[in-house]
Amino acid sequence: MLSMLLLLSWGACGSPSAKIENIEGDTIEMRHSSLLTIVECEGYTVADVKNPWNGNLLKRYLLLPKNSGIPDGLPRGVLLRVPLERAVVFSGVHASLLAELGVAGVIGGVCDARYMYCDAVKERLSAGEIVDCGSSLNVNSERIMQVAPDAIFVLPYENGGYGKLENMKFPLVECADYMENSPLGCAEWVRFYGRLVGMAAKSDSLFNAVCNEYEELAARVKECGDRPELLCELKSSSAWYVPGGASTVGCLYSDAGADYIFSDYKVNGSVPLSYETVLDKAADADIWLIKYNRATDISMETMLADFQGYSHFKPFKEGMVYGCNTHNRNIFEETSFHPERLLKELVALFHPALLPEYKAMYYEKIR
């Protein structure tokens, strides 16, 4: 009861329009994240999440060890008693990360269970140890109440709300990592999540290893002269969505040594374009990368059956289309916090001489 009263007392802080106020303490140096600030104070930790859409404060989290008293001068924010013991997780990416940190047991419930590909999570789901809380778009309130989580890991969207969850009084951890503008910025959020589950040292070590490996390979790529022109993704209904040049994916394409054709769209989300615009800009691309989710792998023939316009692109004519079927390749779960893995894959595609022994894990040539 005391924890709930404290949550109600502090939970109102951190509206999207709030300004970020400085906190006195030891600020942890972030190597790449532009949205996270973590300050170690006496008896607690403050984690500020910047709103990626307006630059103000999205949420302030107060990480207070379990069974400790309330320190004098505790600022306003969302109180989280750490380490968390039970959480509901909306994203397979974050569920997989918790499993990698060795705390899969913290996951008491998930949404969109069919998109949970981590073996540890699937096994616990099958055993009934994790509660299926329904769709992230229509959560099952009764099942979330059954879990009684210490926190719910959700994905924030611009001008979006959380519906039923906002009335349930469980603290929401807004996982804005996907809105970082660099792959390593996104990966550095492991340091925040690690502190939530009592794995600060392990998460710091994990990120430093990822960061060092990524930066070393990216530096080697810079020495390459030729940069193949890159087209990506497929037409979807009336629009062709491509990653913005300031997105984590757009940044990764550049770090891997590609001349990303849509890099001039300086946004960190997806950009909807017409087929005519894509054809005008990318008809003579060198390589085409696509991601799709189907029970069977697609072929050049099935691509044309979907849309005849694909035949007008040079990489289609020359057989330089590479696809990743996310139905059977866990590219999102395995690379969001390990961008060095995807960087290797792309460098091997764009500059094979740099990694001659590399064996592809995600993309394969479409025939």
Side-chain angles (χ1 to χ4, degrees):
M1 178 59 72
L2 176 60
S3 294
M4 184 57 70
L5 289 174
L6 289 171
L7 172 62
L8 292 174
S9 173
W10 275 284
C13 182
S15 66
S17 61
K19 300 295 184 181
I20 300 178
E21 299 178 359
N22 292 331
I23 295 292
E24 292 187 5
D26 296 326
T27 301
I28 295 175
E29 181 180 359
M30 307 302 288
R31 292 178 64 174
H32 287 275
S33 173
S34 62
L35 300 179
L36 271 179
T37 301
I38 300 177
V39 182
E40 301 283 1
C41 304
E42 187 173 350
Y44 63 96
T45 299
V46 176
D48 282 344
V49 177
K50 183 186 294 185
N51 189 313
W53 297 282
N54 62 23
N56 292 326
L57 180 66
L58 178 67
K59 199 72 69 177
R60 168 166 286 169
Y61 296 101
L62 311 174
L63 282 56
L64 191 64
K66 290 184 182 298
N67 303 319
S68 68
I70 303 300
D72 292 336
L74 187 69
R76 289 175 59 82
V78 177
L79 186 67
L80 296 170
R81 287 290 190 171
V82 295
L84 301 177
E85 293 181 354
R86 285 178 71 77
V88 171
V89 182
F90 274 43
S91 162
V93 169
H94 299 100
S96 295
L97 177 63
L98 292 177
E100 182 176 2
L101 290 175
V103 291
V106 168
I107 305 171
V110 298
C111 286
D112 299 323
R114 62 178 177 155
Y115 298 115
M116 297 287 165
Y117 299 116
C118 171
D119 289 338
V121 175
K122 290 193 295 184
E123 289 171 4
R124 295 188 65 235
L125 271 166
S126 297
E129 297 171 358
I130 292 178
V131 177
D132 182 348
C133 296
S135 165
S136 58
L137 300 177
N138 185 26
V139 298
N140 187 312
S141 302
E142 292 182 357
R143 292 181 181 177
I144 288 183
M145 292 294 293
Q146 175 187 338
V147 176
D150 299 324
I152 303 175
F153 288 59
V154 296
L155 299 177
Y157 295 98
E158 186 174 15
N159 301 319
Y162 298 106
K164 303 173 186 177
L165 297 177
E166 295 176 350
N167 299 319
M168 296 185 70
K169 308 306 180 184
F170 297 117
L172 304 180
V173 175
E174 301 195 58
C175 304
D177 48 74
Y178 76 100
M179 286 300 296
E180 289 280 357
N181 55 19
S182 73
L184 290 175
C186 175
E188 192 159 18
W189 276 63
V190 67
R191 305 177 70 188
F192 171 51
Y193 300 131
R195 282 161 173 77
L196 294 181
V197 295
M199 292 290 173
K202 184 173 183 177
S203 63
D204 287 350
S205 177
L206 173 62
F207 173 70
N208 286 331
V210 167
C211 188
N212 292 341
E213 186 173 351
Y214 186 103
E215 290 179 335
E216 180 181 345
L217 181 55
R220 290 176 59 196
V221 171
K222 285 184 178 179
E223 299 176 2
C224 297
D226 296 332
R227 298 174 67 89
E229 289 195 343
L230 176 66
L231 166 65
C232 62
E233 307 312 340
L234 295 168
K235 183 175 177 290
S236 176
S237 187
S238 61
W240 193 313
Y241 290 89
V242 301
S247 68
T248 57
V249 177
C251 177
L252 206 150
Y253 289 155
S254 177
D255 288 344
D259 181 5
Y260 179 46
I261 291 171
F262 306 105
S263 62
D264 54 334
Y265 293 96
K266 300 298 183 183
V267 298
N268 61 355
S270 293
V271 182
L273 301 175
S274 68
Y275 164 72
E276 290 77 15
T277 298
V278 175
L279 181 63
D280 181 62
K281 293 176 70 70
D284 293 323
D286 299 303
I287 297 178
W288 187 354
L289 297 182
I290 64 174
K291 293 186 293 292
Y292 62 96
N293 188 316
R294 297 191 183 184
T296 58
D297 292 345
I298 66 173
S299 64
M300 304 292 261
E301 183 178 356
T302 55
M303 283 183 67
L304 283 186
D306 290 339
F307 182 58
Q308 286 287 325
Y310 295 145
S311 65
H312 298 298
F313 292 90
K314 184 179 108 176
F316 186 92
K317 299 173 185 176
E318 297 185 354
M320 293 299 289
V321 185
Y322 293 83
C324 174
N325 188 352
T326 60
H327 182 77
N328 50 40
R329 290 179 174 85
N330 302 336
I331 187 171
F332 300 114
E333 292 78 8
E334 294 175 4
T335 66
S336 293
F337 293 100
H338 280 282
E340 82 286 4
R341 296 175 181 172
L342 188 51
L343 184 68
K344 287 181 186 177
E345 182 98 352
L346 298 179
V347 169
L349 280 174
F350 304 153
H351 303 283
L354 283 182
L355 298 173
E357 304 299 323
Y358 181 81
K359 294 183 179 180
M361 298 175 59
Y362 306 109
Y363 286 94
E364 64 179 2
K365 183 173 284 191
I366 295 177
R367 304 183 186 280

